[in-house]
Amino acid sequence: MAHAIVYTEFGTPDVLHLVEVPDPMAGRGEVVVRIEAAGVNPIDAKLRGAVRPSPPITEPRAVGFDGAGVIEALGDGVEGFAVGDRVAIRDTLGTYASALAVPAANIAPIPDGVTAAEAAGIGIPAGTAYQALKSLGVAAGDVLLVHAGSGAVGQAAVQFAVAWGATVVATASPERHDQLRELGAIPVAYGDGLLDRVREAAPDGVTVVLDCAGTDEAIQTSLALVEDRDRIATIVRGPDAASFGIRAFSGGSPVPLTEQEQAWRAEALPVTIGLIEAGAFTIELGPELPLADAARAHELVEAHAADGKIVLIP
């Protein structure tokens, strides 16, 4: 038997339970992966707590979308992978488990220079950042403002934008400024006076904004800095982004991603793995907890009580 974290009702983290489940079987186009690390993302907690709407629960619901591990079985029609290959997983519900059947389209090989924990931290954060910056057309010569630059999506956005030749200003609490400098950003503290501090950090102006904070301060500062509303996007304020005339990717947005944007999110997984292997991208790792401590992991996420990616180890 395999083990998995599930919940049968919406609620606080204590609704999460470790249970035995049947060993997964690989269907056509799928592989079975023995999970070595599962990435914990804010969306996991939002779905569990019904902060983000989801269908009614009619059976035990699995948790987690990102992970990494080793292929144990191949389904019919799977090519390019073999039993024993190390792979990263994206966009597949149920990674808080000891084993999982995963569509082969949702995995990418992991080289020896990338750890399972790093690979498990890529999917949602890097995919969101990569797609958002591509959608915004970020390129060399741009001056990008990233709100909440020290979070997982923010750090990914900083690194992609710097690699593409943009200048990046990123907001964070002062104790996180050294981390942002190491990634190539100009750090700025949020709070009263933010607009003036950003203008001082970017005297030639800001050309594009990615909001990962969702605060009124972040939105109003962005509107004051960038006239072209198509070059301002949020990943948090989806429900009311349109009222500001700005774009929203995720964050409860009623506007679905386009096929191209979905493709960019998928593309980010192998791209990021390659950058990590080359020493050109960093995943900040936080606490590693046993799979059985998933509730504790959600408590840490909801309290913003841990720097770096929280990873569950089956």
Side-chain angles (χ1 to χ4, degrees), residues 185-279:
I186 302 166
V188 173
Y190 50 73
D192 290 344
L194 174 61
L195 178 59
D196 290 338
R197 288 192 296 277
V198 172
R199 284 176 168 153
E200 182 178 356
D204 294 329
V206 170
T207 59
V208 57
V209 179
L210 178 61
D211 165 45
C212 305
T215 61
D216 289 344
E217 173 189 64
I219 297 297
Q220 295 305 320
T221 298
S222 302
L223 296 175
L225 289 166
V226 178
E227 184 175 351
D228 184 354
R229 302 300 193 245
D230 283 342
R231 301 212 78 199
I232 304 173
T234 179
I235 64 164
V236 186
R237 293 284 288 269
D240 63 350
S243 69
F244 302 111
I246 66 176
R247 305 168 76 180
F249 308 118
S250 306
S253 172
V255 181
L257 297 177
T258 65
E259 287 188 13
Q260 177 61 77
E261 287 166 343
Q262 294 281 10
W264 280 328
R265 291 207 174 189
E267 180 180 287
L269 184 59
V271 166
T272 306
I273 290 170
L275 290 172
I276 294 172
E277 184 185 25

Side-chain angles (χ1 to χ4, degrees), residues 113-172:
V114 179
T115 68
E118 288 173 324
I122 294 172
I124 287 176
T128 301
Y130 186 88
Q131 170 265 308
L133 297 188
K134 288 283 191 181
S135 296
L136 287 167
V138 173
D142 269 319
V143 178
L144 168 69
L145 172 61
V146 179
H147 294 287
S150 65
V153 177
Q155 288 193 34
V158 167
Q159 293 179 87
F160 287 133
V162 169
W164 300 344
T167 297
V168 182
V169 177
T171 70

